[in-house]
Amino acid sequence: MTYVHNAWYVTSWAHEIRPEHPVGARILNQPIVIWRNAARELVAFEDRCFHRLAPLSLGRCEGESLRCMYHGLLYDRTGHVIEIPGQERIPNNARVRRYPVIERYGWVWIWMGDAEQADERLIPPVGGSDYSDYVVAHGQLDYAAEARLVNENLLELSHAVFLHSDSFRYGETWALDRPKIMEQERGIFSERWIKNQGLLGVKGADPSVDTYFCYEFYVPGALLMTYRSYPVGTADALNGQRPDPTEAIGGFTGDEGFTRQAVTPLTDKTARYLYIHGARRRGGETVYDMTVIDKAFAEDKVMIEAQQRNIDTSPGARFVPTSADRGIVLFNRIVDRLVRAEASRVSEASAPHRIED
Amino acid sequence: MTYVHNAWYVTSWAHEIRPEHPVGARILNQPIVIWRNAARELVAFEDRCFHRLAPLSLGRCEGESLRCMYHGLLYDRTGHVIEIPGQERIPNNARVRRYPVIERYGWVWIWMGDAEQADERLIPPVGGSDYSDYVVAHGQLDYAAEARLVNENLLELSHAVFLHSDSFRYGETWALDRPKIMEQERGIFSERWIKNQGLLGVKGADPSVDTYFCYEFYVPGALLMTYRSYPVGTADALNGQRPDPTEAIGGFTGDEGFTRQAVTPLTDKTARYLYIHGARRRGGETVYDMTVIDKAFAEDKVMIEAQQRNIDTSPGARFVPTSADRGIVLFNRIVDRLVRAEASRVSEASAPHRIED
Amino acid sequence: MTYVHNAWYVTSWAHEIRPEHPVGARILNQPIVIWRNAARELVAFEDRCFHRLAPLSLGRCEGESLRCMYHGLLYDRTGHVIEIPGQERIPNNARVRRYPVIERYGWVWIWMGDAEQADERLIPPVGGSDYSDYVVAHGQLDYAAEARLVNENLLELSHAVFLHSDSFRYGETWALDRPKIMEQERGIFSERWIKNQGLLGVKGADPSVDTYFCYEFYVPGALLMTYRSYPVGTADALNGQRPDPTEAIGGFTGDEGFTRQAVTPLTDKTARYLYIHGARRRGGETVYDMTVIDKAFAEDKVMIEAQQRNIDTSPGARFVPTSADRGIVLFNRIVDRLVRAEASRVSEASAPHRIED
C-alpha cells in the first residue's frame, strides 16, 4: 500500500505548536519540524539540518528564522540557510525542504507532495470543534499499526456491532443492512437509516426513533460523520431517501451529533489518530455518554494492532473482502488512482527537491 | 535448524484454557487460538480470521462455534465460516486451518503438521502431575532463545556440575563420567549410576547411596526423567546395569523422584519451557528442597539467553561438540531424519492447506 | 564508516574489573570478556566459548585460568583450552581469540587488531586522573549512536556556542573564529586563543583574561585538552602564537584545567564515552562549576542520538561540511588511511584467527 503525497495530512492539534517551541514529528516516514514564526504563522521544514542532519526541532526560533542549535546554521522561513557561523560563503544548495502547512479547524495540516500543487480547497470541511450548541470531546491515539488499517476500520462500520458490543451497543441491523455508498472525487459518501431504535449512545432509556447517519471519508484519511433523529416511520415514508435536516427531532436545525476524525501515517507501521466528537446539547447538557467514545476507540486500537501483528507474521496472507467492504474497495481504488497520477506527473520540473537527490 | 511439524507440541497448561476464553499463542511462528467448545473440548485454529486476519483469540465462543469479534464471521469447530453478517453467499475457501489438539497429563498438546497423520500414540507418557505419593512442583519459563538451545541443554546434563554448582550441587562425577545413551525411534534414552554419594538435592545431611538416573527425551522436546536410590555397592554388583525398581531404598516400589519437562518453539528465537518435578513423600513430606529447582532453571535461562545473544552476533561461528554431546548429536540426527521424511512426504494430497497458499 | 582495528580502545574504568569477576563488553561488535588472573593482571578474550558459544563472562576465574561455567571447559591465559571435563583429547583448534589489554591512566585499553602489532606507545598520554593540584570529576555515558558521531562532536567545538548555550555559555567567538589545526601521525592538534573574556566555566564574576586552549585528538577516539589563562593582551603580543606555560596566571606552572575523554564503538550504532575533567585548585577548592560538565555532556547526548535517528531514517542523506569541520575532515582522512593500510597488510600469516574462519 502506498499513500498519496499530494494531500493534506493532519499532524497535530494547532494549540500544540506554541511560539518559541518547534515540534518534531514523523509524517509518511519523513522527519518534519513545525514552528511558528514571529507572526505566529506556521512553518514546516524537513527536520534535519543541511549540514549534519541534526534535528531542527531542537533548534531555536529567531523571529522569521529558525536556528539549528547544533552548529548554529540559520534558516529563513523558506528553508534557505542564511547564516553559517564563521563562514562567509553559503552554498547555493544550502537549504532544507519546506512543506506547505496550514492551521485550520483546530488542526495542523501539512502537504507532503509537490508544493506547487498544494491546494487549500482540498482540506475537508472539518468544522465542529467550536460549535457552541454541542458538547465536544477531543481525543488522540497513536497506533502501532499502519494508517491504512485505521482508515479501513472507519470505512466499514459494521464492525461496531461486534467489536463495540460493550461500548456503542449498536443493534444487529448495523451489520446486516448495508449503507448506500457513493464514490466522490477524493473520497466516498455513505448514508443509511436505522429504524425504530433508541438513539445510539444515549444514556438511559430513550424513546425509539428513526435515525439517519451519513459520512464522508476523504483522502488521505478524514472522516466527517453526522446523524439526526426523526419520528418512527420517517425512513419508510421517505423510502430510505435522505431526509430534510430542518425536520429532525429536537426543535433545532442541524445534526444530533457528529464526529470528525483524521488518520495520519507516521511511519510504515505507525499512525496517528485524532478525533473530536460532538453531541447536541439538550438544555445545557448532552444526554450522550461521552466516555463511551474513548472506550470504543480503545477497542479499535487493541484489535487493529493485533491485526497488524498478524499481518507482520503472515507475509503470504491476503485480505478477502466481503460485501460489507464496498467502501474500503472504492476508497482504495481512489487512492490507487491518485498515486498512479502522481507517479506519472512527476517530472524534472515538478519533483520535490531533496538534499539526498 | 528446522523443526519437525508432525509432532505434538505442548502449548500450555490445560487449566489455562477456560471455557468462554479463547487463548492466543504462537507455536512454530504460527499464530494459534485454542478454545473450548460447549462440551469443554479443546479446539485449535490458526489465529487469524479468513476475512482480514484479525485474531480469533479476541473472539467469542458461541457453543460449538467461535465468532470473530471484528466483523462477526462465525466459524464452526472444523474451522469453516458458517456466517458472514449481511452476506448470504459464503465462499468455499472461507475457513481457517484447524490443528489437532489434545488435553493430556495436564498439558495442551497441538499437532503442527499434516492433520491426517496426527497420532495420539506419539504423545509421550508424561504422567506424574497427579501422583499422590509425591510432592509435585510446577513451573514455566518463556525463553528469549530458540527451543533447540533449551532442548540441547537438557540433552547434555554434565552442565549441572558447573552451571548449577550453587543450586543442584552435583559432584564432579556427573561431568566426568558419561551416561549410556541409546537411540530410540523418536528420541534417546540415557541412563547412569552415581555411586556412593548423598542423594542429590536433599536438604541437610543424608547417608550415601548409589543412585540410578535414567531419562527419555522425545521429539519434539519432552524430557521424562526418574531416579532411584540403592544401597552403596549395588551399582558395582550389577556391573552398571539397570537395577530392579522393586529393590530401591524406601520400602516402596517406584521412583524416588521424577521430572517432566516440555520445550516448545514459539518463534525462531523464543521458546516456552514447562516443567513439573516430583519428589517422593517420606511420611507426609518430602526431604527434597523444591526451591532448588526454580533457582537452577533460572541459571539455565541466564546462560542460554546469553548464548543466544552470542549466536546472533556471531553469524559465522559454529558449535564444536565434545564427547559429552553424544545425546545432542543423536537427537539432532533423529530430528533431521524426521524433517527430511516430512519434506519428501509432502504432496498435493497431504499438504496442509493454508489461506496464503 | 569503518574503524581502525590496530588501535587501543578504552573499554572501561580499571577499577571495574575486580578479581574473581570477569566482565563482558562488546567492542567493535565483538563480544569481549576481561578478567584478572591470580597476579591481578588483565586478560581479554573473545567472550564466547569454543564449545557452544556460551559467554565466558559468566565463567569462573581459577588462578591463571578461566573456566566456562556452562560445560566446564578451562582456558589458560593465552586462550587455549586446557581441560574438557570427561574428555582426554583436546582439539588443536580449541581456543578463543586473546586480545592485548593494558591498564593505564585508570582505564582499560584493548587492542582490537593484529596482536603482533600491538604497540603500547600508541596509547595516548592520558594523565590527569591522579593530579593532586586539581579537582577531578569523572563521568561516563553510553550512547545510542555510532562512535563516529561522538568523535566528530569533539573534533568540532564551535557547537559549544549553540548546543551548550545554557551550560558552558561560551561567547560567540568560539564559533566565529577558527582554531589552528595541525595534522599529526595518528590524530590532530588544535589550538586557539580566546581574548579578553572571563575564564570559561567559572562560577560568578571573574576578571577578563586571554585564554589559550589546545587539544590533541588521537585515533581511535581520545581527546586530551588543556587551557591556561594569561593577562589580557598576551595573545596579541604573541601574535596568536603558543604561549610559555610558565607565564600563565595563577603563580603555578601548568594548566588551569584539562579534560581527557575516550570514545569507543560498542556496536555499529552504540558507543561508550568516558571522561575526566580536572580544574586547578585555587587554595583548596576549584572555582570551576563541575556540574556544568554533566549538563553539557547530556546536551551532546540528546543532540547526537537524535542526529543518529535522522541518519537511520535518511539513507540517502549526506553531511555537507562547513569550514568549521576541518578537524573532522583531517581526522577522518587519517582514519581512512589507517584502515586502508590495515586492509593491505592483512595476509595469511598476520590475520587474526577466528573460530568462524
Side-chain angles (χ1 to χ4, degrees):
Chain A
M1 176 77 172
T2 44
Y3 291 101
V4 176
H5 279 69
N6 286 333
W8 295 101
Y9 285 89
V10 176
T11 69
S12 48
W13 305 91
H15 66 258
E16 290 180 310
I17 317 293
R18 292 175 295 144
E20 313 297 331
H21 289 87
V23 171
R26 208 163 281 273
I27 310 292
L28 283 175
N29 288 321
Q30 293 303 309
I32 306 281
V33 54
I34 304 170
W35 56 287
R36 291 189 188 275
N37 65 10
R40 303 180 71 107
E41 293 161 344
L42 292 180
V43 185
F45 291 160
E46 72 175 298
D47 189 18
R48 53 190 164 202
C49 180
F50 166 77
H51 174 214
R52 293 178 66 79
L53 309 185
L56 299 175
S57 51
L58 294 177
R60 184 169 66 197
C61 300
E62 301 187 357
E64 289 297 312
S65 305
L66 180 65
R67 189 181 296 278
C68 176
M69 286 303 275
Y70 198 174
H71 301 96
L73 276 70
L74 188 69
Y75 292 86
D76 71 12
R77 60 175 299 175
T78 69
H80 284 79
V81 175
I82 54 174
E83 188 185 316
I84 300 177
Q87 175 172 329
E88 286 205 11
R89 205 187 70 80
I90 294 173
N92 286 333
N93 65 343
R95 57 193 175 88
V96 290
R97 180 173 174 183
R98 188 177 66 85
Y99 294 86
V101 62
I102 286 176
E103 174 174 354
R104 190 168 297 172
Y105 306 121
W107 284 344
V108 176
W109 304 76
I110 191 169
W111 180 268
M112 294 300 293
D114 177 11
E116 288 178 23
Q117 298 185 50
D119 182 348
E120 295 192 18
R121 290 168 304 178
L122 294 180
I123 295 180
V126 189
S129 189
D130 55 348
Y131 290 1
S132 59
D133 293 340
Y134 294 79
V135 176
V136 180
H138 302 71
Q140 177 176 338
L141 292 170
D142 277 7
Y143 268 77
E146 50 184 315
R148 162 199 145 170
L149 295 181
V150 189
N151 281 349
E152 295 181 353
N153 182 63
L154 300 171
L155 283 158
E156 207 293 74
L157 296 179
S158 82
H159 76 265
V161 177
F162 306 99
L163 184 54
H164 304 312
S165 61
D166 285 339
S167 51
F168 286 140
R169 300 176 188 277
Y170 285 11
E172 230 188 353
T173 314
W174 260 108
L176 299 180
D177 290 355
R178 299 282 178 254
K180 274 190 275 184
I181 297 179
M182 274 150 287
E183 190 173 339
Q184 297 182 314
E185 172 78 17
R186 286 171 74 93
I188 65 160
F189 176 78
S190 172
E191 63 179 349
R192 74 190 313 170
W193 282 96
I194 298 292
K195 294 185 281 190
N196 198 17
Q197 298 197 3
L199 185 56
L200 297 177
V202 165
K203 290 176 280 195
D206 203 52
S208 287
V209 291
D210 283 2
T211 307
Y212 173 79
F213 291 83
C214 67
Y215 71 84
E216 287 153 308
F217 194 91
Y218 290 96
V219 169
L223 172 76
L224 287 71
M225 185 191 218
T226 59
Y227 58 92
R228 302 189 292 271
S229 298
Y230 294 84
V232 171
T234 307
D236 286 342
L238 287 171
N239 203 18
Q241 294 303 303
R242 203 169 309 176
D244 185 334
T246 66
E247 291 172 5
I249 291 177
F252 49 79
T253 300
D255 304 317
E256 177 69 26
F258 66 85
T259 184
R260 308 284 185 254
Q261 306 180 6
V263 181
T264 301
L266 303 181
T267 66
D268 290 331
K269 297 285 178 67
T270 59
R272 178 158 293 170
Y273 178 49
L274 286 85
Y275 56 88
I276 62 173
H277 197 95
R280 193 86 190 199
R281 294 182 197 277
R282 301 188 177 190
E285 279 309 297
T286 176
V287 292
Y288 198 88
D289 178 2
M290 303 293 266
T291 66
V292 165
I293 306 286
D294 289 337
K295 180 172 183 348
F297 291 179
E299 290 162 349
D300 287 317
K301 189 168 191 281
V302 167
M303 179 63 81
I304 291 170
E305 293 184 345
Q307 184 190 19
Q308 178 73 61
R309 287 192 296 274
N310 263 355
I311 291 170
D312 290 344
T313 52
S314 312
R318 291 188 310 276
F319 289 179
V320 180
T322 68
S323 65
D325 294 326
R326 195 163 158 261
I328 294 175
V329 171
L330 283 178
F331 182 81
N332 286 342
R333 222 179 269 163
I334 294 167
V335 172
D336 285 345
R337 173 169 51 76
L338 292 170
V339 168
R340 276 196 308 275
E342 276 181 19
S344 66
R345 205 186 308 138
V346 168
S347 70
E348 194 61 28
S350 67
H353 299 288
R354 297 287 304 285
I355 282 183
E356 57 264 48
D357 285 348
Chain B
M1 177 76 171
T2 45
Y3 292 100
V4 176
H5 280 68
N6 286 333
W8 295 101
Y9 285 90
V10 176
T11 70
S12 48
W13 305 91
H15 66 258
E16 292 179 310
I17 317 295
R18 292 175 295 143
E20 313 296 331
H21 289 87
V23 171
R26 209 163 281 273
I27 310 292
L28 284 174
N29 287 320
Q30 293 304 310
I32 306 282
V33 54
I34 304 171
W35 56 287
R36 291 190 188 275
N37 66 10
R40 304 180 70 108
E41 293 160 344
L42 292 180
V43 184
F45 291 161
E46 71 175 299
D47 189 18
R48 53 191 165 203
C49 179
F50 167 76
H51 174 215
R52 291 178 67 78
L53 308 185
L56 300 176
S57 51
L58 294 177
R60 184 169 66 198
C61 300
E62 302 187 357
E64 290 295 313
S65 305
L66 179 67
R67 189 181 295 279
C68 176
M69 285 303 276
Y70 198 175
H71 301 95
L73 276 71
L74 188 68
Y75 292 87
D76 70 13
R77 59 175 299 174
T78 70
H80 284 79
V81 174
I82 54 174
E83 188 184 317
I84 300 177
Q87 175 172 327
E88 285 204 12
R89 205 187 69 80
I90 294 173
N92 287 333
N93 65 343
R95 57 191 174 89
V96 291
R97 179 173 174 182
R98 188 177 66 85
Y99 294 86
V101 62
I102 286 178
E103 175 174 354
R104 189 168 297 172
Y105 306 121
W107 283 345
V108 176
W109 305 76
I110 191 169
W111 179 268
M112 294 299 294
D114 177 10
E116 289 178 22
Q117 298 184 48
D119 182 349
E120 295 192 17
R121 290 167 305 178
L122 293 180
I123 295 181
V126 188
S129 189
D130 53 349
Y131 291 180
S132 59
D133 293 340
Y134 295 79
V135 175
V136 180
H138 302 71
Q140 178 175 338
L141 292 170
D142 277 6
Y143 268 77
E146 48 183 316
R148 162 199 141 163
L149 296 181
V150 189
N151 281 349
E152 295 182 351
N153 182 63
L154 300 172
L155 284 159
E156 207 293 73
L157 296 178
S158 82
H159 76 265
V161 176
F162 306 99
L163 185 53
H164 305 313
S165 60
D166 285 340
S167 52
F168 286 141
R169 300 175 190 277
Y170 285 10
E172 231 189 353
T173 315
W174 260 108
L176 298 180
D177 291 354
R178 300 282 178 254
K180 275 189 273 184
I181 297 178
M182 273 149 287
E183 190 173 339
Q184 299 182 311
E185 173 77 18
R186 287 171 74 95
I188 63 158
F189 176 77
S190 171
E191 62 180 348
R192 74 189 314 170
W193 281 96
I194 297 292
K195 293 184 283 189
N196 197 17
Q197 299 197 4
L199 186 57
L200 298 178
V202 165
K203 290 177 279 195
D206 203 50
S208 287
V209 291
D210 283 2
T211 308
Y212 173 80
F213 290 83
C214 65
Y215 71 82
E216 287 153 308
F217 195 91
Y218 291 95
V219 169
L223 172 75
L224 287 70
M225 185 191 218
T226 60
Y227 57 92
R228 301 189 292 271
S229 299
Y230 294 84
V232 171
T234 307
D236 286 341
L238 288 171
N239 203 19
Q241 295 303 304
R242 201 170 309 176
D244 185 336
T246 66
E247 291 172 6
I249 291 178
F252 49 78
T253 299
D255 303 318
E256 176 70 25
F258 66 85
T259 186
R260 309 283 184 255
Q261 307 181 6
V263 181
T264 301
L266 303 181
T267 66
D268 289 332
K269 297 284 178 68
T270 58
R272 178 157 294 170
Y273 178 49
L274 286 85
Y275 56 88
I276 62 174
H277 196 95
R280 192 85 190 200
R281 294 183 197 277
R282 301 188 179 190
E285 279 308 299
T286 175
V287 293
Y288 199 89
D289 179 1
M290 304 293 267
T291 67
V292 165
I293 306 286
D294 289 337
K295 180 170 182 352
F297 291 179
E299 291 162 348
D300 286 317
K301 189 168 190 282
V302 167
M303 179 63 80
I304 291 170
E305 293 183 345
Q307 184 190 19
Q308 179 73 62
R309 289 193 294 274
N310 263 355
I311 291 170
D312 290 345
T313 53
S314 311
R318 290 188 310 275
F319 290 178
V320 180
T322 68
S323 66
D325 294 328
R326 194 162 160 260
I328 294 175
V329 171
L330 283 178
F331 182 81
N332 285 343
R333 221 178 271 161
I334 294 166
V335 172
D336 285 346
R337 174 169 51 76
L338 292 170
V339 168
R340 277 197 307 274
E342 277 180 20
S344 67
R345 205 185 306 139
V346 168
S347 70
E348 195 61 28
S350 66
H353 299 288
R354 297 286 304 284
I355 283 183
E356 57 263 46
D357 286 346
Chain C
M1 177 75 172
T2 44
Y3 292 101
V4 176
H5 279 69
N6 286 333
W8 295 101
Y9 285 90
V10 176
T11 69
S12 47
W13 305 90
H15 66 258
E16 291 180 310
I17 317 294
R18 291 175 295 144
E20 314 297 330
H21 290 87
V23 171
R26 208 163 282 272
I27 310 292
L28 284 174
N29 288 320
Q30 294 304 310
I32 305 282
V33 54
I34 303 171
W35 56 287
R36 290 190 189 275
N37 65 10
R40 304 178 71 106
E41 293 161 344
L42 292 179
V43 185
F45 291 160
E46 71 175 299
D47 189 19
R48 52 189 165 203
C49 179
F50 166 77
H51 174 214
R52 292 177 68 78
L53 308 185
L56 299 176
S57 51
L58 294 177
R60 184 168 67 196
C61 300
E62 302 187 357
E64 289 296 312
S65 305
L66 180 65
R67 189 182 295 280
C68 176
M69 285 304 275
Y70 198 175
H71 301 96
L73 275 71
L74 189 68
Y75 292 86
D76 70 13
R77 60 175 299 174
T78 69
H80 284 78
V81 175
I82 54 174
E83 189 185 315
I84 301 177
Q87 175 173 330
E88 286 204 12
R89 205 186 70 80
I90 295 172
N92 287 332
N93 65 343
R95 58 193 174 88
V96 290
R97 180 173 174 182
R98 187 178 66 84
Y99 293 87
V101 63
I102 286 177
E103 175 174 353
R104 189 168 297 173
Y105 306 120
W107 284 345
V108 175
W109 304 78
I110 191 169
W111 180 267
M112 293 301 292
D114 177 10
E116 288 178 22
Q117 297 184 50
D119 182 348
E120 294 191 18
R121 291 168 303 179
L122 293 179
I123 295 180
V126 188
S129 190
D130 54 349
Y131 291 2
S132 59
D133 293 340
Y134 295 79
V135 175
V136 180
H138 302 71
Q140 178 175 337
L141 293 169
D142 277 6
Y143 268 78
E146 49 183 316
R148 163 198 145 170
L149 296 180
V150 189
N151 281 349
E152 295 180 353
N153 181 64
L154 300 172
L155 283 159
E156 207 293 72
L157 296 178
S158 83
H159 75 265
V161 176
F162 306 97
L163 185 53
H164 304 313
S165 61
D166 285 340
S167 50
F168 286 140
R169 299 176 190 279
Y170 285 11
E172 231 188 353
T173 314
W174 261 107
L176 299 180
D177 290 354
R178 299 284 179 252
K180 275 189 275 184
I181 297 179
M182 274 150 286
E183 191 173 339
Q184 298 181 315
E185 172 79 16
R186 287 171 74 94
I188 65 159
F189 175 78
S190 171
E191 63 180 348
R192 74 189 313 170
W193 282 97
I194 298 293
K195 293 185 283 189
N196 198 16
Q197 298 197 5
L199 185 56
L200 298 177
V202 164
K203 289 176 281 195
D206 203 52
S208 286
V209 291
D210 282 2
T211 307
Y212 173 80
F213 290 84
C214 68
Y215 70 82
E216 287 153 309
F217 195 90
Y218 291 96
V219 168
L223 173 75
L224 287 70
M225 185 190 217
T226 60
Y227 58 92
R228 301 190 291 273
S229 298
Y230 294 84
V232 171
T234 307
D236 286 341
L238 287 172
N239 203 18
Q241 295 303 303
R242 201 170 310 174
D244 184 336
T246 66
E247 291 171 6
I249 291 177
F252 50 78
T253 301
D255 305 318
E256 178 71 24
F258 66 85
T259 185
R260 309 284 185 255
Q261 305 181 7
V263 181
T264 301
L266 303 181
T267 66
D268 290 332
K269 296 287 179 66
T270 60
R272 177 157 294 168
Y273 179 48
L274 286 85
Y275 55 89
I276 63 174
H277 197 95
R280 192 86 189 196
R281 293 182 196 278
R282 300 190 178 189
E285 278 310 298
T286 176
V287 293
Y288 199 89
D289 179 2
M290 303 293 267
T291 66
V292 165
I293 307 285
D294 289 338
K295 180 171 184 347
F297 291 179
E299 290 162 349
D300 286 316
K301 189 168 192 282
V302 167
M303 180 62 80
I304 291 170
E305 293 183 345
Q307 184 190 19
Q308 178 73 61
R309 287 192 295 274
N310 263 355
I311 291 170
D312 291 344
T313 53
S314 311
R318 290 188 311 275
F319 290 179
V320 181
T322 68
S323 65
D325 294 326
R326 195 164 157 259
I328 294 174
V329 171
L330 283 179
F331 182 80
N332 285 344
R333 221 178 270 162
I334 295 167
V335 171
D336 285 346
R337 174 170 51 77
L338 292 171
V339 168
R340 276 197 309 273
E342 277 180 20
S344 67
R345 205 185 307 138
V346 168
S347 69
E348 193 62 27
S350 67
H353 299 287
R354 297 287 303 286
I355 283 184
E356 57 264 48
D357 285 348

